[in-house]
Amino acid sequence: MGKITNKELSIKKSLYEDIKKIMTSERNRKNYIAFQDTVKDLHPENCIVKFGWESGTTIEFTLAYKKGGNSEPYNEFIEGIEDKAHAYYFIMGLNPDIFHFNPITVANIDNYLILMFKLKRNG
């Protein structure tokens, strides 16, 4: 594993802050509370993150948290994004303001908690 550059650290920090800002905005309060209720007792070992998008409207994240660790879920989510630059630049281009999370889509199986959420553009 190579040395992390300042640019990579900056992108990681921006991802962390920008996604959190969208999730915690007043308009997304209900969905954020549902998300927090879902992960409140979770202490993951790691998180596998996959994401895809519908051009110009939505980016969807699928998270597979491996249970049995001592980490914080949001930190592991950001760490689990393999191509942080790709995700960051797509989010910046999309400029989403809606966080959509539906707890009915959560799968709590064996050693994993699997969930999905979307960041959407208004309009």
Side-chain angles (χ1 to χ4, degrees):
M1 189 154 144
K3 186 179 178 188
I4 296 175
T5 66
N6 285 340
K7 183 176 181 178
E8 290 169 326
L9 284 174
S10 176
I11 287 172
K12 180 179 168 181
K13 182 178 184 231
S14 293
L15 264 177
Y16 184 95
E17 292 171 353
D18 293 348
I19 294 173
K20 184 69 95 170
K21 183 179 176 183
I22 296 163
M23 293 171 90
T24 59
S25 74
E26 186 58 36
R27 78 177 303 161
N28 296 318
R29 182 175 169 77
K30 181 180 173 186
N31 284 326
Y32 184 66
I33 289 170
F35 178 80
Q36 287 298 105
D37 285 347
T38 300
V39 299
K40 68 182 175 193
D41 296 325
L42 179 66
H43 297 289
E45 182 178 312
N46 61 32
C47 182
I48 300 166
V49 179
K50 300 294 180 191
F51 64 93
W53 56 88
E54 182 177 328
S55 187
T57 61
T58 306
I59 183 169
E60 183 171 313
F61 290 91
T62 301
L63 286 60
Y65 285 109
K66 185 172 184 186
K67 299 175 188 174
N70 58 5
S71 296
E72 193 273 322
Y74 190 75
N75 292 343
E76 287 303 321
F77 156 57
I78 297 298
E79 286 298 326
I81 300 172
E82 286 186 29
D83 191 342
K84 290 173 183 53
H86 188 79
Y88 172 74
Y89 291 120
F90 187 82
I91 290 169
M92 293 304 297
L94 180 62
N95 194 24
D97 59 352
I98 299 170
F99 168 64
H100 179 13
F101 173 73
N102 187 346
I104 201 162
T105 63
V106 174
N108 193 350
I109 52 173
D110 297 328
N111 294 324
Y112 287 91
L113 178 72
I114 302 168
L115 58 91
M116 298 180 294
F117 69 83
K118 296 178 184 180
L119 299 179
K120 298 168 73 174
R121 191 162 141 174
N122 189 15

